[in-house]
Structures are given as C-alpha cells and as structure tokens.
Amino acid sequence: MKKDTMRFSSKLIHAGEHKDQYGSAIVPIYQTSTFAFDNAEQGARRFAGEESGYIYTRIGNPTIKALEKTVASLENGYDGIATSSGMGAVSTVYMALLSNGAHIVSHDAIYGPARGIIETIFPKFGVEATYIDASKIENIEKSIRPNTKMIYIETPANPTMDIIDIRATAEIAHKHGLPLVVDNTFCSPYLQRPLDLGADIVLHSMTKFINGHADVVGGIIVAKEKSYYDTLRSVMVNLGFNIDPHQAFLAHRGLKTLAVRIDRAQENAIKVADFLEKHPKVAWVKFPGLKSHQHYELGKKQMDGPGCMISFELKGGLTAGKVLMDNVEFALLAVSLGGVETLIQHPASMTHSKMSKENRFKAGITDGLVRYSVGIENIEDIIEDLEQALNKI
Ligand SMILES: *Cc1c(COP(=O)(O)O)cnc(C)c1O
C-alpha cells in the first residue's frame, strides 16, 4: 500500500518507515552525535545541501527523522521538527516568527509557560502581546495591530476547556496576512488536525498523548508549507532545541498505540464526566463531550472526539478540592496529562500558579478548578476512587 493513501491507524505504524541493511522491523536508536563522510567532497556536498544524508545529530538523525515524518504525516503537514520539550517547540516558533517590536494575539488560558515566557522573557526583545478570550471570535480581529506577527491558540484550552474555532481563526489570520499557530497537545492528531482546518503551524508537547507513557519529555512542530518549515528548522538547529535520539525512539514507540490508547481513555472519560456532572458535590464539569459544554457544537464539528481531559469545580471550592486531591488513591496527584495513567492536579496552585490572580480569574481559572486526565485503567476502579474521595468532603 502506498504511504500517502494509508489511513490514520496505519500511518501510526508505517509512516516513519525506515530501511537499513539488516531489515530491522523498527527504526533503531542511532545513538551517535555525528556521521562520517566518505570523503571531503561528500562532506562539502552535504553541507551545501546538494546531497541528502546526515551530518550531525543537532541538525538531523535517522531515529529523529522517522518520528518527524510520522507526526507530519498524521497532521497532513509538509514535515516535522522534533524538539527537546513542548516548550522547546513553543520557543522555536516564537523565536522564528517574532522579531523586535512584534506583537502576538493569543488566548488568555493557554499552557502557563507558553504565556509566561511572552510576558517575562520576550519583553526584553520588544515583543508585545494581547491575551483575549479567543473563543469569542470577534475578540481576535479587534486585537490585531499593524505590528502583529502571529495568532497563537490552543484548543481545547488548558485548563478551561474552551474550544476555539480553528477554521474561523485561520480565515481572520489570513485576511491580515498572519500565520495561525495551534498547540494541538490536548487532542493529538488523532482527534484534531488543525492544518486541515487552515492553520499554518501545529505544535505538540509529545510528553503528553503522543508519547503517552510518562517517561519522555519532548515536543514537535509540523508546518504546512516548506517556507515555514525551513525557517523553523533553522531556528531549532541553531538555537539547539533538538531532541535526543533515545527520547525520539521512545516517543515514536509510544506513538504507535495512540489510537488505541485514546479510544480507551476517551471511553473512560465520557463515563467519568457523566459521573461527575451528576454528583451532588460537583458545581460544574467542563468536558467537550457534555451537552452542557459552552462550545459543545463547535467541538463536535472540529474534533473527532471529546478527548480525555476534564476540568471541574466542587461546590466547596478550593477547600473541597484539596480534600479530593489528598484522598484519591488511584489517580496520581501530578501535573502533565495524556498518559496511560489517570492524573489529577490543581491549576491555580500548580500549572498556572505563575499567572497573576487577576489574569487567572479573567481567563476563567478559578481557585477551585481541578484538572483530571483520564487514563486507560479499568473504569470501575477510576470511578470508585473518585467516589470514595468525594465522600470525604
Ligand atoms: C505540557 C504542555 C506544553 C509544554 O510541554 P513540555 O513538554 O512540558 O515542555 C505545551 N502545551 C501544552 C498544551 C501542554 O500541555
């Protein structure tokens, strides 16, 4: 079967195909920092880009390339750029697209450090930002200025689960000649493909669903067009945000089961969200699969499923939330998400604690909001654990 006609679950296994002299079934770990040339002329040809082949692992490596090709194929992009972490991917995009005096328009509730570095590190390069509720599409166009260089969104957003209309945002971005960048970590390419909806660049923390086993930190960027790809790769290579071959191997191995992992975790999440919404101690639940979700219809339109992430607030606010987090025995009290294990965390004191209280409240991240990442364990065990901890409140 031709690679470009394969369907998603087949691409997971075969898109990063690799042939070596031994007929290895999977891509080996090329744990090498550098690659020898046959002669001086060949070295010169490789540096000049006249001959394909590897030079040095910061620039490229066969294990890393296989992973990049696979994710690019899943996202229907031109090519991928793997990075040392999700923040390495975010930083590469910012460094590539923002220059002195540039302005960025973004959603107010995005991954904490993705906003944090714009507000603490980038001002010294003269970069300005406007953070708005991008789920109200009219806010985006109002925020664009003559020096705006990029629109950056994350959907569903972290941790409010706001859903932003990718197609409509891309139309506004392109009307103003701007690239749209989407952090697709919460969905993975299995549930949402932003490039197909008009985005120019998509990025992931591979630490989450793509690797899925809580044993790797990594990131990846996929560009739709060669021109963005070339710029992004040059920034990544020269600033040294590259992933290590061993990390890349693990992420690629984890990726192969993405579809089966998400199918199972999502099936669990639907049941957990339903359980929480009916529970008398729960004030509200935000999960794209619930009809009560503020953007239920939009989620159904642009996502292939509601995903595995749930945010909720208890009627007893933060105090009750603490009792819950201290009493769950099964769910790990830990940040991160998208792994095979169920995790619970408290954004206001953990992932979003660096945000000012005012900005946090404006973004809808209340003191009592609890974020729950549903794993692939037995659903009865997951619910029994929540039930016994809720009973202690
Ligand atoms: C975790 C995460 C990141 C950052 O990724 P790291 O691998 O931790 O650097 C970026 N965006 C989202 C949505 C995330 O969940």
Side-chain angles (χ1 to χ4, degrees), residues 82-99:
T83 54
S84 53
S85 67
M87 282 311 296
V90 173
S91 303
T92 300
V93 168
Y94 287 170
M95 293 302 278
L97 300 186
L98 300 172
S99 50

Side-chain angles (χ1 to χ4, degrees), residues 68-88:
E68 290 170 335
K69 284 277 173 220
T70 307
V71 181
S73 163
L74 300 172
E75 289 282 9
N76 296 320
Y78 171 74
D79 205 348
I81 302 156
T83 54
S84 53
S85 67
M87 282 311 296

Side-chain angles (χ1 to χ4, degrees), residues 83-90 110-114 152 154-158 183-186 203-208 216-219 309 336-337 351 371:
T83 54
S84 53
S85 67
M87 282 311 296
V90 173
I110 56 169
Y111 184 69
Y152 181 99
E154 189 183 310
T155 179
N158 180 19
D183 180 336
N184 197 25
T185 300
F186 264 43
L203 65 89
H204 290 272
S205 166
M206 291 198 293
T207 315
K208 317 298 167 49
V216 165
V217 170
M309 297 299 301
S336 197
L337 58 104
T351 48
R371 196 184 75 184

